[in-house]
Amino acid sequence: MDLSFAASLFPYSVWDCWWLAPLALLLDLWLGDPALPWPHPVCFAGRLLSRLEDPARRWMRHGGPANEKWRGRLAGLACLLLLTGVTGLTVWLLCCLPVLGLLAVVYLAWAGLAMGSLLETGGEVLREVETRPEVQARKALSRLVSRDTSRMDRPLLRKTLADTLSENFTDALLAPLFWLLLAGPVGLWMYKAVSTTDSMWGYLTPRWRWLGWAGARGDDCLALIPARLSVAVLWLTDALVRRLRPAARLWDGRWPGFHTVARQAAGMPSPNSGWSMTACAWLCRARMAGPSVYFGELVDKPRLGPPEDEAAPWDKARLLALCALMRHSAACGGLLLWLVCLVPGLLR
């Protein structure tokens, strides 16, 4: 099979450019998302999607309430395809620029990963939760989560922060890195366009139920493999740290087995969010998920992690241990995934 055409559409995959993914990972974990003179690329995707909302809603409502479901889904799908196509084409053109193209490639690969900024933001929110009055702590956490924080006490704020950090292990790192390895910056940013649509529109509320359907289902499909890989990455990182650097193992939980993780994760409403959450909950010996309020509606989620009599409450030390687990897993797991993808290409 001739892959030259695919390689021209998706340049700088791991087989075309072996050094790009580890460099992007290093820059992300080292520098995070530093302040630059221009907005982050994901902001442009968000702005375009916001501009598409009004015409999409007008078309959705044109046929009356009886047709809103199928017209809304179709309008959302059209917006998703347009955003993904424009994003992919823009990134491809930037990658093909003479001289500056290589700089654009490095920056776009780096900017597409978000583990460094996630951990930095999580650390800032943790400081607010631990040191500020509850009103200010709730406000700080609300900038990071979509659930209602207005009535949360401090223990629940800590647990919600743990939920969010662990859930985003796939979205911030594994999924974008997976698509960067397979399809270069073009594939990475086409995935980010779908993920942005899901983040902005993918809610089961009256406002977004139909327009956000395509974005939510698209993100579910594109993150399906990375979400399950996240479990293997967390398990392998724990095993490596336990053997090679036991003093760095700040988390004190145990590995329950892949069957237990899969069984608990399958009970979550989202097909992907529960995998990394369940693994982190067991390794940190604390429980996650449970009933939560989103946009005024109670969503009944199962409890993830060890049984209540084995679990410890989330406190500052346990949240710092979770951040350490995620940072180690990002470095170890990211490099191992890179090697797994690189070796078959080199042996062709």
Side-chain angles (χ1 to χ4, degrees):
M1 180 179 179
D2 183 12
L3 299 179
S4 58
F5 178 69
S8 65
L9 288 178
F10 302 101
Y12 295 98
S13 70
V14 67
W15 307 294
D16 296 328
C17 184
W18 64 268
W19 51 264
L20 179 60
L23 177 60
L25 180 62
L26 174 65
L27 290 172
D28 176 53
L29 293 178
W30 178 30
L31 299 176
D33 185 20
L36 295 172
W38 56 86
H40 192 280
V42 79
C43 296
F44 296 105
R47 290 172 187 172
L48 176 56
L49 193 63
S50 295
R51 288 179 178 273
L52 293 172
E53 181 184 348
D54 283 344
R57 287 195 182 281
R58 285 197 298 270
W59 191 85
M60 178 180 74
R61 292 166 179 163
H62 183 71
N67 296 317
E68 275 195 5
K69 178 178 178 179
W70 73 265
R71 290 177 72 95
R73 286 183 170 183
L74 192 59
L77 177 61
C79 292
L80 176 67
L81 293 175
L82 179 60
L83 177 66
T84 305
V86 169
T87 301
L89 178 61
T90 302
V91 173
W92 183 81
L93 290 173
L94 290 172
C95 292
C96 293
L97 287 174
V99 184
L100 294 178
L102 190 59
L103 291 176
V105 164
V106 173
Y107 171 69
L108 289 168
W110 165 26
L113 306 180
M115 179 55 68
S117 60
L118 174 66
L119 292 175
E120 182 181 355
T121 304
E124 293 172 357
V125 173
L126 177 57
R127 285 191 290 273
E128 295 280 329
V129 169
E130 294 299 327
T131 61
R132 299 288 186 178
E134 282 190 359
V135 173
Q136 295 181 23
R138 292 172 189 143
K139 185 176 180 180
L141 182 62
S142 67
R143 297 194 294 267
L144 191 61
V145 303
S146 56
R147 66 189 72 178
D148 183 10
T149 64
S150 61
R151 298 181 182 179
M152 290 185 181
D153 58 12
R154 214 170 291 274
L156 186 53
L157 290 170
R158 295 188 186 105
K159 189 201 76 70
T160 303
L161 178 58
D163 289 353
T164 300
L165 291 175
S166 59
E167 180 180 358
N168 278 285
F169 182 73
T170 298
D171 295 337
L173 179 79
L174 257 293
L177 181 63
F178 179 82
W179 290 108
L180 173 63
L181 290 166
L182 295 188
V186 176
L188 162 62
W189 278 96
M190 292 179 76
Y191 162 75
K192 294 288 284 186
V194 177
S195 177
T196 300
T197 306
D198 178 48
S199 298
M200 294 177 64
W201 290 10
Y203 300 104
L204 291 175
T205 62
R207 180 181 178 185
W208 298 114
R209 185 179 303 274
W210 310 131
L211 273 186
W213 176 84
R217 298 292 78 76
D219 185 72
D220 288 344
C221 292
L222 294 181
L224 191 72
I225 294 174
R228 284 138 187 86
L229 284 175
S230 70
V231 176
V233 163
L234 288 160
W235 165 75
L236 192 55
T237 301
D238 177 61
L240 288 173
V241 172
R242 186 191 296 270
R243 286 180 174 272
L244 302 178
R245 293 190 63 200
R249 191 179 185 273
L250 302 181
W251 52 97
D252 60 355
R254 61 181 177 88
W255 182 252
F258 288 96
H259 176 74
T260 299
V261 173
R263 177 174 52 80
Q264 289 192 349
M268 292 287 283
S270 166
N272 298 326
S273 64
W275 294 83
S276 56
M277 291 177 70
T278 305
C280 288
W282 277 96
L283 290 174
C284 291
R285 199 169 60 86
R287 307 186 86 189
M288 293 191 190
S292 302
V293 178
Y294 294 84
F295 304 103
E297 294 185 8
L298 180 65
V299 178
D300 189 18
K301 297 181 179 180
R303 296 283 184 181
L304 305 178
E308 189 172 359
D309 58 343
E310 295 182 23
W314 285 104
D315 55 18
K316 181 180 179 181
R318 203 162 296 275
L319 281 163
L320 291 175
L322 171 63
C323 291
L325 170 63
M326 293 177 62
R327 186 173 291 277
H328 279 83
S329 298
C332 298
L335 292 176
L336 287 170
L337 184 59
W338 168 67
L339 286 173
V340 168
C341 292
L342 178 63
V343 171
L346 295 177
L347 296 178
R348 285 185 303 172

